[in-house]
């Protein structure tokens, strides 16, 4: 990493600098492979040590930088939110102190790339588990199953489920598919408006130029928590979004250990505490029991 | 060679001190000479000692590697297999209990309700048995034990809700709102709290197997290397020993030592070969057997949930959209093909299954079908995929009837044709799973058999080699007395 100061790096290093950075571990792995030709026990340990999360003493974690309540860069280099706290809990389980965890902002489109390139050790960034993504990265968790839901203005009393959006203006973040699910799949005649990000949709909801915003309930709850009196969460879930912890495809052992951390996080009550801390006042129905894991590998 | 031995501690300091290791080597040689004597007898004793030490190393390396192999098969075989089976039985029983509860409420009274209640009771019994077994197997692991305990507690609460929901009864052949509401609470408890824990137990046993497998297989392979190295060293030492005995005494062959060398070579080959074979059996048991059994058990678990979602879709109109979506999520994790909604998914599935094995399939069953590890696996997988497609087509028809026809027609179809399509798929899936389970059990049994006898062959053979090496030298040494 170019900048060793924890919590200080925001943008990712240019991809062109990658070959120089990866050549050393690659050489070390080649040396380890040569050693393994000799009948030595513990070759698997040599390989595991080069990349597994379980052997690390510091971590670089990719989180969202613009998602209040989940991953938000509150001040230059300082990140906060549920995802950030989950990452810190996992780091603690892996024996890594808080000051050795470095957070870096990632966008939705960057998530696979930063993992496969080795720029980050772990991505905790409202990262839904899908079969396509699973063929590129390994997913521990889910640590929470979010659902697509609807956010409306506080004085909008009539919307009780997704079918009530008929004839309303619906805002969607660019590159997202959530409004299409309502309009095309469910055949509900709502008018679609697009904004660069969901934060912009929420701003438009506040000024009344759109009627509703629909995306993952945790994301909506995060916006709601920042201004509880302005909006209302409908609580009409209609999809499952399994938020996973993305790690390198080959690190099955690390993935299994992160699953143990997530199990423990629910068993010792930390998950409930964190969910309550970040979303407790939004009226969202929170599930405080460990989700069904996806399975590593 | 008439030099006498040097005393162990030489009090006279020598001016340029030679490097430490050389002193050590020289001193060791001196000590050996002191004990073994000098000249030809000393050399014979030295080569005999070298052969004995190398034979001892061969024994140690082979014994250690074989005990690693034995432990590996114990964990991959009996231990983990039982755990995977117990936890996936638990999941299936719980999931079907919830589906049968929905069926009871859906069909109201009559034979069908009684049938569903009978299945429910049987599943309740199975869940209880699987829980007892899971509790025993989880003993010693804090998180797993707690998981099992929470499932036991939750199951009690679930049954209370189910009893209340059944008691809330029906109005005009349809379940009352109160009954549907109580069932909502029950199924939420089951699907959000109990089933995930049972599923995670299965995954956790899989993780234990993977760690043991990687460690033990690496240790066995390394052990095979060490065994070969020590064995070849023993053969070389015996060859040297033979040369000391034969050429120096102008004989062509020393029969005892020659037999010992040949025996050592044979033993080395057999032991190292057995170890390599054990490593391969371990791989077959894990990768071709247990991994597939695990993946297919998970596919089965998710499929029962989907089958239950069909009933829930009909039972609870207020949540019909959600249950249809949950069903689609399940379908995608069993066999992944493109398709944003159920209709698009089924259409794409028809195309992909038709093109199998040339279509790209993901998901638990999809990946198993894409890379069959057993002979005849492709045909079995094709059968399962066909049955899965039929299950999806029946589902599409069910949803069409529910949309356009009457509720009672839809219920009739759900309990009739949709049920049959699911049962056919379940049985094809069970056949494919059985095939991998057989491969797994065979590999584990072969692993156990392959190690049988080595417990006495190894020490006996090494002792025989040692005895021959000494016996061959004894008459020659006697000539010096």
């Amino acid at each position: 990493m170019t900048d060793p100061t924890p919590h200080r790096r925001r943008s990712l290093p240019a991809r062109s600098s990658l070959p120089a950075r990866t050549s050393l571990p690659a050489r070390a792995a080649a040396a380890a492979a040569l050693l393994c030709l000799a009948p030595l026990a513990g070759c698997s340990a040599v390989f595991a040590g080069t990349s597994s999360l379980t052997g690390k003493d510091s971590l670089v974690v990719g989180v969202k930088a613009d998602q209040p309540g989940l991953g938000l860069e509150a001040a230059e280099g300082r990140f906060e939110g549920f995802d950030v706290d989950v990452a810190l809990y996992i780091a603690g389980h892996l024996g890594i102190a808080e000051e050795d965890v470095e957070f870096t902002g990632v966008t939705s489109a960057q998530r696979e790339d930063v993992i496969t390139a080795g720029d980050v050790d772990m991505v905790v960034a409202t990262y839904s588990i899908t079969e396509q993504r699973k063929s590129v990265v390994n997913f521990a968790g889910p640590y929470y199953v979010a659902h697509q839901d609807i956010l409306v203005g506080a004085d909008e009393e009539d919307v009780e489920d997704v079918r009530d959006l008929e004839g309303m203006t619906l805002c969607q973040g660019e590159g997202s598919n959530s409004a299409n699910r309502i309009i095309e799949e469910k055949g509900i005649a709502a008018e679609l408006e697009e904004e660069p990000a969901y934060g912009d949709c929420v701003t438009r909801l506040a000024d009344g130029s759109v009627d509703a915003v629909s995306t993952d309930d945790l994301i909506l709850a995060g916006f709601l928590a920042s201004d509880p009196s302005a909006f209302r969460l409908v609580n009409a879930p209609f999809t499952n979004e399994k938020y996973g912890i993305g790690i390198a495809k080959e690190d099955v052992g690390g993935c299994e250990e992160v699953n143990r951390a997530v199990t423990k996080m629910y068993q010792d009550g930390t998950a409930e505490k964190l969910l309550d801390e970040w979303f407790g006042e939004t009226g969202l129905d929170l599930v405080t029991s460990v989700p069904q894991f996806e399975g590593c590998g | 060679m008439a030099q006498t031995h040097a005393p162990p501690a030489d009090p006279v300091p020598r001016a340029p001190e030679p490097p430490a290791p050389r002193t050590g080597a020289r001193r060791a040689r001196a000590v050996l000479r002191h004990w073994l004597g000098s000249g030809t007898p000393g050399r014979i004793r030295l080569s005999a000692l070298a052969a004995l030490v190398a034979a001892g190393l061969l024994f140690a390396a082979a014994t250690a590697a074989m005990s690693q192999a034995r432990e590996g098969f114990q964990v991959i075989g009996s231990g983990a297999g039982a755990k995977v089976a117990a936890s996936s039985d638990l999941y299936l029983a719980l999931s079907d209990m919830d589906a049968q509860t929905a069926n009871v409420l859906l069909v109201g009274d009559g034979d069908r309700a009684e049938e569903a209640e009978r299945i429910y009771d049987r599943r309740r019994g199975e869940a209880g048995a699987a829980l007892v077994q899971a509790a025993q197997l989880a003993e010693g692991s804090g998180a797993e034990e707690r998981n099992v305990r929470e499932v036991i507690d939750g199951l009690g609460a679930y049954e209370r809700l189910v009893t209340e929901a059944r008691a809330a009864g029906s109005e005009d052949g349809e379940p009352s709102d109160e009954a549907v509401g109580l069932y909502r609470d029950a199924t939420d408890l089951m699907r959000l709290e109990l089933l995930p824990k049972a599923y995670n137990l299965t995954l956790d046993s899989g993780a234990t197997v993977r760690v043991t497998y990687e460690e033990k297989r690496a240790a066995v392979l390394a052990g095979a290397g060490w065994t070969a190295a020590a064995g070849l060293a023993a053969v070389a030492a015996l060859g040297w020993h033979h040369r000391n005995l034969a050429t120096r005494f102008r004989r062509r062959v020393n029969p005892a030592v020659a037999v010992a060398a040949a025996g050592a070579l044979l033993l080395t080959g057999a032991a190292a070969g057995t170890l390599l074979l054990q490593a391969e059996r371990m791989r077959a048991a894990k990768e071709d057997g247990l991994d597939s059994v695990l993946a297919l058990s998970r596919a089965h678990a998710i499929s029962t949930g989907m089958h239950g979602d069909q009933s829930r879709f009909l039972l609870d109109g207020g949540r019909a959209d959600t249950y249809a979506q949950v069903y689609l999520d399940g379908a995608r994790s069993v066999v992944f093909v493109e398709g944003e909604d159920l209709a698009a998914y089924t259409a794409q599935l028809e195309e992909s299954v038709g093109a199998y094995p040339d279509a790209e399939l993901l998901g638990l069953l999809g990946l198993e079908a894409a890379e069959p590890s057993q002979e005849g696996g492709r045909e079995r997988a094709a059968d399962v995929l066909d049955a899965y497609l039929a299950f999806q087509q029946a589902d599409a028809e069910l949803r069409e009837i529910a949309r356009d026809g009457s509720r009672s027609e839809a219920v009739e179809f759900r309990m009739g044709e949709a049920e049959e399509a699911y049962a056919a798929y379940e049985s094809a899936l069970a056949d494919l799973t059985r095939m991998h389970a057989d491969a797994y059990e065979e590999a584990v049994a072969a692993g156990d058999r392959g190690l049988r006898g080595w417990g006495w062959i190894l020490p006996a053979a090494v002792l025989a080699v040692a005895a021959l090496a000494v016996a061959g030298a004894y008459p020659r040494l006697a000539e010096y007395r």
Side-chain angles (χ1 to χ4, degrees):
Chain A
M1 295 292 124
T2 43
D3 184 349
T5 326
H7 299 257
R8 285 308 252 159
R9 209 162 54 84
R10 194 212 152 138
S11 60
L12 293 161
R15 293 293 293 274
S16 58
S17 72
L18 286 175
R21 278 177 354 96
T22 46
S23 69
L24 198 63
R27 220 172 288 162
L34 274 179
L35 274 176
C36 283
L37 291 178
L40 283 171
C43 280
S44 60
V46 173
F47 274 119
T50 55
S51 63
S52 179
L53 279 181
T54 52
K56 297 238 189 270
D57 39 26
S58 68
L59 276 188
V60 183
V61 183
V63 292
K64 285 286 182 75
D66 56 356
Q67 216 57 263
L70 287 152
L72 183 72
E73 191 167 20
E76 171 73 30
R78 199 173 62 79
F79 291 85
E80 60 171 42
F82 179 65
D83 283 350
V84 174
D85 287 345
V86 168
L88 287 173
Y89 185 91
I90 292 166
H93 178 84
L94 297 172
I96 299 164
E98 201 166 315
E99 58 269 24
D100 296 323
V101 181
E102 181 186 344
F103 287 97
T104 181
V106 294
T107 64
S108 292
Q110 285 175 317
R111 291 177 295 199
E112 279 91 354
D113 289 344
V114 293
I115 295 172
T116 49
D119 293 341
V120 302
D121 300 308
M122 180 163 106
V123 165
V124 192
T126 64
Y127 198 8
S128 288
I129 301 174
T130 66
E131 292 298 325
Q132 292 106 319
R133 287 172 182 165
K134 265 166 76 179
S135 56
V136 188
V137 301
N138 228 325
F139 279 108
Y143 57 97
Y144 196 78
V145 180
H147 312 277
Q148 189 172 346
D149 211 319
I150 303 156
L151 191 70
V152 291
D155 47 354
E156 175 65 77
E157 300 285 326
D158 298 334
V159 177
E160 279 187 5
D161 75 46
V162 60
R163 305 217 169 259
D164 298 329
L165 293 175
E166 193 89 35
M168 292 191 162
T169 325
L170 193 58
C171 185
Q172 152 174 301
E174 238 164 36
S176 165
N177 193 37
S178 51
N180 294 337
R181 282 199 186 125
I182 296 171
I183 297 168
E184 285 164 24
E185 287 175 34
K186 300 201 180 292
I188 295 162
E191 196 182 317
L192 177 65
E193 299 260 339
E194 277 210 313
E195 286 294 330
Y198 274 103
D200 306 311
C201 280
V202 175
T203 312
R204 290 195 58 189
L205 184 63
D207 70 23
S209 63
V210 297
D211 299 319
V213 180
S214 177
T215 185
D216 301 356
D217 52 7
L218 277 197
I219 294 179
L220 295 175
F223 286 119
L224 177 61
S226 58
D227 193 356
S229 61
F231 312 110
R232 182 173 68 90
L233 192 65
V234 177
N235 254 329
F238 56 92
T239 64
N240 284 341
E241 303 297 332
K242 298 176 274 187
Y243 282 179
I245 296 141
I247 55 183
K249 178 83 181 137
E250 59 279 1
D251 189 10
V252 179
C255 174
E256 287 164 355
E257 201 51 47
V258 172
N259 276 346
R260 283 183 202 110
V262 175
T263 303
K264 213 175 89 198
M265 180 173 81
Y266 276 90
Q267 288 187 344
D268 69 11
T270 306
E272 185 169 2
K273 197 190 96 216
L274 292 177
L275 284 166
D276 188 57
E277 186 182 325
W278 291 104
F279 310 108
E281 289 176 4
T282 61
L284 175 67
D285 289 333
L286 294 162
V287 177
T288 56
S289 174
V290 70
Q292 184 158 309
F293 291 151
E294 198 61 30
C296 299
Chain B
M1 287 286 155
Q3 183 196 338
T4 53
H5 59 267
D10 195 338
V12 186
R14 263 171 254 156
E17 193 77 39
R22 288 197 58 189
T23 325
R26 204 169 282 177
R27 208 165 273 180
R29 210 175 297 155
V31 170
L32 278 175
R33 252 184 222 132
H34 173 69
W35 288 108
L36 301 174
S38 57
T40 302
R43 191 175 275 262
I44 291 173
R45 287 193 192 100
L46 184 62
S47 61
L49 180 67
L52 292 184
V53 168
L57 287 177
L58 167 63
F59 176 73
T63 307
M66 283 181 187
S67 99
Q68 294 283 343
R70 215 165 273 132
E71 282 169 32
F73 277 111
Q74 223 150 47
V75 175
I76 297 172
S78 45
K83 236 175 183 174
V84 168
S87 55
S88 62
D89 284 354
L90 176 62
Y91 189 103
L92 293 175
L94 292 176
S95 180
D96 203 34
M97 278 169 69
D98 199 37
Q100 297 305 333
T101 305
N103 287 347
V104 171
L105 296 174
L106 198 57
V107 298
D109 303 318
D111 291 348
R112 284 222 160 118
E114 271 174 34
E115 171 67 14
E117 274 179 47
R118 228 185 349 262
I119 300 175
Y120 177 94
D121 289 341
R122 198 178 69 223
R123 292 302 201 182
R124 176 66 188 86
E126 286 168 12
L131 268 173
V132 171
Q133 212 189 348
Q136 284 167 349
L137 292 167
E139 216 164 284
S141 155
E144 276 183 38
E145 256 179 316
R146 186 163 165 172
N147 249 349
V148 175
R149 205 172 53 238
E150 285 176 356
V151 174
I152 294 174
D153 292 346
L155 191 54
Y158 175 81
E159 287 190 286
R160 272 194 301 283
L161 286 167
V162 166
T163 312
E164 286 174 34
R166 283 190 196 171
S170 54
E171 296 153 1
D172 316 323
E174 288 195 19
S176 66
D177 288 348
E178 194 195 350
V180 172
L182 285 162
Y183 177 69
R184 258 189 202 189
D185 294 343
T187 193
D188 281 349
L189 177 64
M190 182 60 91
R191 287 158 354 104
L192 297 177
E193 299 196 17
L194 305 189
L195 290 175
K197 285 176 185 134
Y199 193 84
N200 292 356
L201 281 174
T202 311
L203 289 179
D204 213 55
S205 3
T208 314
V209 173
R210 190 195 58 79
V211 171
T212 313
Y213 162 74
E214 278 174 12
E215 274 174 18
K216 297 296 176 192
R217 185 161 176 272
V220 171
L221 283 175
W226 285 115
T227 301
L232 291 179
V235 173
L238 285 164
W240 180 42
H241 190 43
H242 187 267
R243 190 168 147 259
N244 286 343
L245 289 168
T247 50
R248 280 174 189 266
F249 291 87
R250 299 198 184 80
R251 284 174 175 85
R252 211 166 275 157
V253 187
N254 180 314
V257 177
V259 168
L265 190 63
L266 206 67
L267 180 65
T268 304
T274 301
L275 287 168
L276 289 177
L277 200 61
Q278 293 305 88
E280 166 54 24
R281 283 168 178 154
M282 216 180 263
R283 191 205 59 74
K286 201 260 178 187
E287 290 181 1
D288 301 344
L290 196 60
D291 281 357
S292 295
V293 172
L294 248 167
L296 294 171
S297 303
R298 286 160 63 197
H300 188 189
I302 292 168
S303 302
T304 26
M306 290 163 63
H307 190 43
D309 286 329
Q310 294 178 323
S311 300
R312 287 185 274 275
F313 166 79
L314 296 176
L315 177 68
D316 188 348
R319 275 198 190 173
D321 279 349
T322 307
Y323 289 131
Q325 183 66 40
V326 173
Y327 181 95
L328 177 60
D329 286 343
R332 280 180 180 148
S333 46
V334 174
V335 177
F336 181 83
V337 293
E338 297 286 343
E340 278 295 327
D341 58 16
L342 266 174
Y345 173 83
T346 307
Q348 181 59 49
L349 186 70
E350 271 167 28
E351 198 173 303
S352 298
V353 170
Y356 179 78
D358 297 324
E360 196 199 347
L361 297 172
L362 295 175
L364 290 165
L365 175 60
L367 285 172
E368 282 299 316
E371 295 158 11
S373 59
Q374 300 296 311
E375 206 163 312
R378 210 173 283 283
E379 290 72 30
R380 290 273 174 89
D383 290 346
V384 181
L385 287 175
D386 285 341
Y388 177 73
L389 176 62
F391 169 45
Q392 298 321 307
Q393 285 164 335
D395 180 75
E397 204 176 334
L398 171 75
R399 286 175 211 274
E400 209 178 291
I401 298 171
R403 195 180 58 231
D404 304 332
S406 73
R407 183 181 177 281
S408 62
E409 269 177 74
V411 172
E412 191 60 34
F413 187 84
R414 162 65 184 80
M415 307 310 287
E417 284 170 56
E419 185 70 43
E420 282 159 25
Y422 177 73
Y425 158 62
E426 203 176 30
S427 120
L429 185 62
D431 281 349
L432 181 64
T433 313
R434 190 67 248 155
M435 188 176 85
H436 288 286
D438 286 345
Y440 158 71
E441 276 159 22
E442 261 165 45
V444 170
D448 282 344
R449 265 200 315 277
L451 288 170
R452 209 175 290 154
W454 279 100
W456 64 267
I457 290 174
L458 198 57
V462 169
L463 280 178
V465 166
L468 286 170
V470 173
Y474 198 74
R476 300 285 83 81
L477 287 175
E479 290 174 20
Y480 279 81
R481 293 216 179 103

